[in-house]
Amino acid sequence: QVQLDESGGGLVQAGGSLRLSCAASGRTFSSYVMGWFRQAPGKEREYIAGISSSGGSTYYAESVKGRFTISRDNAKNTGYLQMNSLKPEDTAVYYCAASLGTKALQLGGPWYQLWGQGTQVTVSS
């Protein structure tokens, strides 16, 4: 089974950029759909981006479309979330997740079975 470990969070000024990484252990990372979620205090968890196992298909929530880019390097067992033009409302704990089910890419949420521990992203105004 794959285990996930996020890194790259931190404090950044509005308009700045961060790149989150999701390192996966296990031999079968390339079989998993990978996604990124975020949860701000007092708000529900939001599915913001997903990428198919091959990297050929992606999903973005409207809230991040055009600013965030999801990618993966299966040879390195690592997924990424490049975040540009960050806004204070992007402040949240960001989680990577993985799923063996292809429906997870478009449906998000409970279709993802494996989760990382989260990394804090804080955007100051």
Side-chain angles (χ1 to χ4, degrees), residues 42-125:
K43 294 189 176 181
E44 292 186 355
R45 185 180 63 192
E46 179 186 13
Y47 178 44
I48 57 172
I51 189 166
S52 62
S53 58
S54 67
S57 298
T58 56
Y59 163 88
Y60 294 98
E62 285 298 323
S63 57
V64 305
K65 194 174 292 184
R67 300 188 299 123
F68 292 9
T69 303
I70 189 171
S71 62
R72 66 191 297 160
D73 185 340
N74 285 340
K76 295 183 178 179
N77 278 6
T78 304
Y80 305 97
L81 185 67
Q82 177 67 43
M83 306 186 294
N84 298 329
S85 303
L86 283 162
K87 306 174 183 180
E89 51 264 43
D90 294 318
T91 295
V93 177
Y94 284 70
Y95 300 89
C96 69
S99 172
L100 283 173
T102 57
K103 290 183 178 180
L105 180 63
Q106 293 298 326
L107 300 180
W111 292 91
Y112 283 90
Q113 302 92 21
L114 305 176
W115 296 85
Q117 82 288 350
T119 185
Q120 176 71 45
V121 171
T122 303
V123 185
S124 62
S125 57

Side-chain angles (χ1 to χ4, degrees), residues 3-28:
Q3 292 183 315
L4 306 174
D5 185 21
E6 304 97 333
S7 61
L11 174 64
V12 64
Q13 290 188 331
S17 298
L18 281 175
R19 188 176 82 157
L20 305 183
S21 297
C22 177
S25 64
R27 299 173 295 172
T28 59

